[in-house]
Amino acid sequence: MQTKIPSIVTKDTDTLASYILVAIGFFLPISVAGVNIMLALLVVLFLWERKYQKRFLKIKYNPIVYIVLAIVLMHIIGCLWSENLSMAGETLRRGWKLMWIPFFMMFMKREHIYYYLQAFIFGMMISEILTYLVWLDILPLFKYATKEMPAPLMQHTYYTPYVAIAAMLLIYFLLYKKHKTLIQKVVIAFFIVTMLINLSFTGGRAGQIGFLVLLFVLIAYYYREK
């Protein structure tokens, strides 16, 4: 009897794109260069396969796409009456980055969502471990690390929100992901605690506020399920 190969290891372009998204999730908290390389590969794949209509139809009716477009449009309109052109330009550059979300959604597979999230969490764990090593003076300051913000792999404006998202995903996995062994539960709980401690000593109110907001959403979701 022939064993069916899981779709995650087949060699069609859809699955290749899924591999790239997994890599982007992993590199997102640890390497800007890694993310840029993966983005370039995804764009090349998009142009090479020439399935433009198929890709656009996949996201045509998704409300998230229109939310992203509305946010980007708000950034553009806001820049029109800004007196600080440099600040307006920086704000607009950040806003345009949101356009990657619809592009990613063209290639996402629902059955691979956990692969993307787990890759992000694993990358975030590596970033967090290095942050602890810098904070404890085991490693010297390098790259973006400072005494006030000892996160070496990311700028402080991104680090604490990423920690908040990773902590909330781990809490979600602990509560809802079934078939976990005792060791897996202990590891997840350990990193939840370390990430919450990390939020306290790295500062950054955006991450702390973001965590509280996400916690409220998770609690509301939990009680809705009950």
Side-chain angles (χ1 to χ4, degrees):
M1 180 176 179
Q2 187 175 5
T3 303
K4 183 179 179 180
I5 300 175
S7 59
I8 192 64
V9 296
T10 56
K11 295 182 180 180
D12 58 275
T13 56
D14 287 341
T15 303
L16 179 58
S18 189
Y19 274 121
I20 295 174
L21 289 177
V22 170
I24 289 173
F26 173 73
F27 284 120
L28 197 62
I30 62 175
S31 173
V32 175
V35 171
N36 290 337
I37 292 171
M38 293 301 110
L39 289 177
L41 289 176
L42 197 59
V43 171
V44 169
L45 180 64
F46 175 72
L47 297 174
W48 176 76
E49 67 173 0
R50 298 181 182 179
K51 298 179 181 178
Y52 309 125
Q53 185 176 6
K54 171 189 173 183
R55 297 300 179 192
F56 285 116
L57 286 176
K58 188 174 181 179
I59 63 172
K60 182 177 179 180
Y61 300 105
N62 195 307
I64 295 178
V65 174
Y66 297 100
I67 292 172
V68 171
L69 292 176
I71 294 173
V72 174
L73 182 61
M74 288 171 59
H75 279 78
I76 296 173
I77 294 173
C79 289
L80 295 179
W81 62 72
S82 175
E83 296 180 357
N84 190 334
L85 296 180
S86 62
M87 180 63 71
E90 179 61 28
T91 302
L92 189 59
R93 281 193 294 272
R94 291 182 180 182
W96 276 115
K97 291 180 181 179
L98 295 173
M99 292 302 297
W100 284 110
I101 295 175
F103 186 68
F104 292 158
M105 291 170 62
M106 293 180 184
F107 300 94
M108 283 184 173
K109 289 190 173 185
R110 184 178 296 273
E111 63 270 26
H112 295 168
I113 292 294
Y114 279 112
Y115 294 119
Y116 312 143
L117 298 180
Q118 288 169 357
F120 169 74
I121 290 173
F122 185 63
M124 197 65 235
M125 287 177 176
I126 294 175
S127 182
E128 184 201 17
I129 290 171
L130 291 175
T131 300
Y132 268 103
L133 293 176
V134 172
W135 184 56
L136 297 171
D137 292 326
I138 298 174
L139 289 178
L141 298 177
F142 67 101
K143 290 193 71 173
Y144 300 110
T146 63
K147 284 293 184 182
E148 295 74 23
M149 180 63 71
L153 301 184
M154 277 189 289
Q155 298 179 3
H156 70 279
T157 52
Y158 298 106
Y159 180 73
T160 52
Y162 280 20
V163 173
I165 293 171
M168 192 52 55
L169 287 173
L170 286 174
I171 293 173
Y172 175 81
F173 288 155
L174 189 64
L175 293 177
Y176 293 102
K177 188 66 173 174
K178 298 179 181 180
H179 310 300
K180 295 185 298 294
T181 65
L182 178 60
I183 294 177
Q184 289 174 326
K185 291 179 180 178
V186 171
V187 171
I188 292 173
F190 172 77
F191 275 101
I192 290 172
V193 172
T194 59
M195 286 182 179
L196 294 181
I197 295 173
N198 204 325
L199 278 177
S200 66
F201 72 74
T202 51
R205 286 173 293 179
Q208 297 168 359
I209 295 172
F211 176 78
L212 293 176
V213 171
L214 291 172
L215 182 61
F216 173 79
V217 172
L218 186 63
I219 291 172
Y221 177 77
Y222 177 80
Y223 280 104
R224 188 192 71 172
E225 290 292 304
K226 295 297 182 181

